[in-house]
Amino acid sequence: MTKLVLYIGNKNYSSWSLRPWLALEACGIPFEDVVIPFDFPAGNPRFREISPTGRVPVLHHGDVRVWESLAIIEYVAELFPEAGLWPENREDRARARSYSMEMLSGFRALRGACPMNIRRPRRAIELPDDVQADVARIEEIWRESIARSGGPFLFGRFSAADAMFAAVVNRFDVYELVTDPATLAYMDAVKTHPAFKEWEVAARAEPWIVPEDEA
């Protein structure tokens, strides 16, 4: 099969790059990752060379270009159905896709106030009131899923849905947004997954600093 090449931004900051990278890595799908850092205020002019939107992530598979995190995950799930990126049960798959789409399109207050930052020391900051509503809804999703599956991940074993929420795990952690033991247990399961830890090690080794993401 033609090699999959996933172009991503800084591992320390790029939450949308984390999502497909983690899904592919955790599910054992072979691919190459290429980091193009956000080293300009508006991103990086090189993004236009590899992505029709001028943004990352973008997947190259021969002549095929797939952009946007969830589209990349869906494309790879079709290529590797045996990898189990989505739950086997049809109802669970529907819920996993719905939650993932909600993550893709929602929670703007949380994303705006609390940028992903793997290296950030844990410290709370003053937040707009609407951030708490996002936090509450995400905790509701996690509780509901784990109650149905038994955990430790949203649908029992690690899936694309967990990858879609992985950047939230970082946000909840480094901005000290949650205290519920069940939430913290799920976060610990994600943070200790070998694929997440591999990303974290690489992120901490990066030299780049993006001031606007240092909330």
Side-chain angles (χ1 to χ4, degrees):
M1 178 180 286
T2 305
K3 181 170 63 174
L4 298 174
V5 181
L6 182 64
Y7 290 87
I8 59 176
N10 309 44
K11 289 184 175 179
N12 189 55
Y13 302 111
S14 184
S15 60
W16 293 110
S17 295
L18 167 63
R19 292 173 167 101
W21 187 98
L22 192 58
L24 272 60
E25 182 68 23
C27 292
I29 294 168
F31 70 102
E32 175 187 348
D33 69 338
V34 178
V35 176
I36 302 178
F38 304 134
D39 55 0
F40 294 84
N44 189 315
R46 289 182 59 201
F47 294 159
R48 279 287 172 195
E49 300 172 10
I50 50 94
S51 173
T53 63
R55 297 183 297 182
V56 288
V58 61
L59 181 75
H60 289 199
H61 182 215
D63 293 332
V64 176
R65 304 290 182 265
V66 188
W67 55 98
E68 301 295 344
S69 298
L70 193 53
I72 293 169
I73 290 171
E74 290 285 16
Y75 179 78
V76 175
E78 290 184 4
L79 291 178
F80 296 90
E82 72 284 355
L85 273 84
W86 296 110
E88 292 183 10
N89 177 271
R90 183 173 63 184
E91 181 180 351
D92 285 344
R93 282 199 308 277
R95 296 171 70 88
R97 286 184 164 116
S98 295
Y99 291 147
S100 297
M101 192 64 214
E102 189 174 351
M103 179 69 253
L104 179 69
S105 62
F107 310 120
R108 296 182 184 276
L110 174 64
R111 296 207 307 260
C114 303
M116 188 181 88
N117 187 335
I118 299 291
R119 294 193 300 257
R120 186 182 192 274
R122 290 184 182 87
R123 178 176 57 85
I125 60 174
E126 187 173 347
L127 296 169
D129 293 340
D130 50 357
V131 171
Q132 193 52 49
D134 284 354
V135 172
R137 172 56 185 155
I138 292 167
E139 288 195 278
E140 179 184 26
I141 290 171
W142 292 358
R143 278 196 306 271
E144 181 181 81
S145 295
I146 291 170
R148 289 170 59 89
S149 71
F153 299 107
L154 297 180
F155 294 90
R157 59 175 178 76
F158 194 95
S159 72
D162 299 288
M164 287 297 293
F165 281 95
V168 171
V169 169
N170 169 255
R171 289 176 165 105
F172 280 9
D173 183 25
V174 301
Y175 296 97
E176 298 184 334
L177 297 180
V178 292
T179 58
D180 180 75
T183 299
L184 295 173
Y186 171 68
M187 290 166 55
D188 188 63
V190 173
K191 290 191 299 179
T192 57
H193 191 285
F196 188 92
K197 290 184 74 65
E198 181 179 344
W199 178 280
E200 180 182 24
V201 168
R204 292 185 180 279
E206 289 180 342
W208 309 292
I209 295 176
V210 180
E212 55 265 38
D213 287 335
E214 292 290 332

